[in-house]
C-alpha cells in the first residue's frame, strides 16, 4: 500500500456518501487519529439495527410491502464495503508498525545496558503501538460478528452473493 493510500468514509448522513481520508504511516502511528478514522468506519455497524428497523417501518408507513430482500442486499453491500476498508486499514497500519519496529531494531542497544536510552524507549513505544493495532484487529472480529448477528435477525432469508460466502462464514465465527 502506498504512503498516501486512501479510504472512503461514511459522513454520518442517512445515505452513504463518501469522504476521502488519506492514510499514511503517521496516521497509523498516531493511535488517537487512527481510532478516530475507525470510529467513522464503524458507524455502519453501530447503526445496523436502527437502520434496518427504520427501513422496515418506512415501508409499512408508506403502505408498501417491505422489500426486505432489496433492503438487506443493499445494507449487506454497505457492511461488506466498510468491513473491507477497515480490514485493509488495520492490516496496513499493523504492517507499518512492524516495519518501523524492524527498522529500529538494528539500532536498539542490548538489553543488558542499565542506562536509560531514548532509542530503547522509542522501540518499546513502537511495540506498544503495534500491540494496540493488533488489538484493533481483534475488536474488528468482534464487531463484525455482532453486526452479522443483528443483520441475520432482521434479514433472516437473505443469502449473500457467492463472492461473499467465505466472508459470511468467517464473520459468523466467534473471535
Amino acid at each position: 500500500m502506498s504512503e498516501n493510500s486512501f479510504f472512503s468514509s461514511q459522513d454520518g448522513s442517512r445515505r452513504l456518501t463518501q469522504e476521502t481520508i488519506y492514510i499514511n504511516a503517521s496516521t497509523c502511528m498516531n493511535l488517537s487519529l487512527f481510532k478516530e478514522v475507525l470510529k467513522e468506519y464503524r458507524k455502519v455497524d453501530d447503526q445496523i439495527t436502527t437502520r434496518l428497523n427504520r427501513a422496515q417501518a418506512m415501508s409499512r408507513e408508506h403502505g408498501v410491502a417491505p422489500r426486505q430482500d432489496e433492503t438487506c442486499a443493499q445494507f449487506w453491500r454497505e457492511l461488506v464495503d466498510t468491513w473491507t476498508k477497515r480490514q485493509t486499514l488495520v492490516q496496513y497500519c499493523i504492517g507499518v508498525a512492524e516495519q518501523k519496529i524492524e527498522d529500529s531494531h538494528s539500532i536498539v542497544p542490548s538489553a543488558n545496558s542499565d542506562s536509560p536510552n531514548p532509542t530503547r524507549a522509542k522501540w518499546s513505544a513502537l511495540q506498544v503501538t503495534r500491540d494496540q493495532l493488533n488489538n484493533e484487529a481483534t475488536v474488528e472480529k468482534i464487531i463484525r460478528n455482532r453486526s452479522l448477528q443483528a443483520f441475520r435477525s432482521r434479514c433472516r432469508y437473505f443469502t449473500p452473493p457467492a463472492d461473499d460466502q467465505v466472508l459470511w462464514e468467517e464473520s459468523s465465527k466467534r473471535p
Side-chain angles (χ1 to χ4, degrees):
M1 188 159 284
S2 71
E3 185 69 17
N4 287 320
S5 303
F6 70 92
F7 301 87
S8 298
S9 173
Q10 181 179 3
D11 72 353
S13 65
R14 190 179 232 170
R15 287 172 42 134
L16 185 66
T17 57
Q18 302 298 315
E19 173 188 331
T20 302
I21 299 173
Y22 292 92
I23 304 298
N24 57 33
S26 63
T27 307
C28 295
M29 302 312 290
N30 179 339
L31 286 172
S32 296
L33 181 58
F34 173 80
K35 288 183 178 192
E36 194 174 309
V37 171
L38 277 180
K39 183 178 177 182
E40 280 299 307
Y41 283 127
R42 289 176 176 159
K43 283 183 179 179
V44 171
D45 292 82
D46 293 342
Q47 300 169 350
I48 186 169
T49 302
T50 303
R51 289 182 61 198
L52 287 170
N53 285 347
R54 186 180 303 136
Q56 290 174 346
M58 288 176 69
S59 293
R60 284 190 301 270
E61 185 178 296
H62 289 81
V64 179
R67 295 286 309 182
Q68 188 182 45
D69 53 341
E70 289 176 14
T71 302
C72 291
Q74 180 182 5
F75 202 77
W76 174 254
R77 185 65 4 228
E78 239 181 274
L79 277 174
V80 169
D81 288 347
T82 58
W83 288 349
T84 302
K85 289 171 185 168
R86 288 195 320 246
Q87 181 176 346
T88 301
L89 171 64
V90 170
Q91 293 307 314
Y92 169 70
C93 287
I94 288 171
V96 166
E98 288 181 355
Q99 186 61 51
K100 286 190 175 288
I101 287 170
E102 187 159 322
D103 292 348
S104 68
H105 191 70
S106 61
I107 58 172
V108 174
S110 73
N112 297 333
S113 173
D114 290 335
S115 62
N117 186 312
T119 305
R120 182 183 316 284
K122 182 178 179 182
W123 187 69
S124 294
L126 290 171
Q127 288 181 313
V128 168
T129 299
R130 183 208 46 212
D131 292 346
Q132 289 180 331
L133 292 168
N134 279 316
N135 288 343
E136 287 300 326
T138 301
V139 169
E140 278 304 307
K141 290 177 187 174
I142 293 166
I143 290 171
R144 200 179 279 198
N145 182 275
R146 185 201 69 178
S147 294
L148 186 59
Q149 288 176 359
F151 180 83
R152 283 182 167 168
S153 75
R154 299 293 188 275
C155 298
R156 292 183 188 129
Y157 305 108
F158 177 79
T159 303
D163 301 2
D164 296 337
Q165 283 295 326
V166 171
L167 182 62
W168 179 267
E169 292 167 12
E170 285 177 1
S171 297
S172 298
K173 296 176 185 172
R174 292 233 179 251

